[in-house]
Amino acid sequence: MMSCEKATRLISEAQERALSLTEKIKLKMHVMMCAGCKNFSLQVPFLSKAMKAYAKGFDEGRDDEVKK
């Protein structure tokens, strides 16, 4: 079975790149059996979206400062 360390790494990498079919299958099997990694896989997209929204707001705030 895949380790939690490798599973969480793949979950994170999946935000940036497409996983291979083998990676997807192994990860899916692991997440089905591991509550911690399942929770992590549900939280990562939310955190990614929140950070992008924060960064966008931060950049917009900087644009306002430059205009002053």
Side-chain angles (χ1 to χ4, degrees):
M1 186 168 108
M2 178 183 290
S3 69
C4 290
E5 183 178 355
K6 184 165 185 174
T8 55
R9 183 179 53 81
L10 284 177
I11 291 166
S12 296
E13 286 182 12
Q15 298 295 307
E16 304 297 323
R17 69 172 179 92
L19 299 180
S20 71
L21 182 59
T22 303
E23 289 172 325
K24 287 180 186 177
I25 292 169
K26 288 180 179 181
L27 180 57
K28 182 116 176 145
M29 295 286 291
H30 179 89
V31 169
M32 286 172 42
M33 296 185 289
C34 180
C37 289
K38 181 177 182 176
N39 287 336
F40 182 76
S41 72
L42 297 173
Q43 292 171 355
V44 166
F46 170 78
L47 291 172
S48 177
K49 190 180 207 180
M51 293 305 296
K52 286 176 184 173
Y54 176 78
K56 182 179 178 188
F58 181 75
D59 286 343
E60 288 174 0
R62 288 178 47 150
D63 288 345
D64 291 342
E65 288 178 18
V66 171
K67 292 176 185 175
K68 288 181 181 179

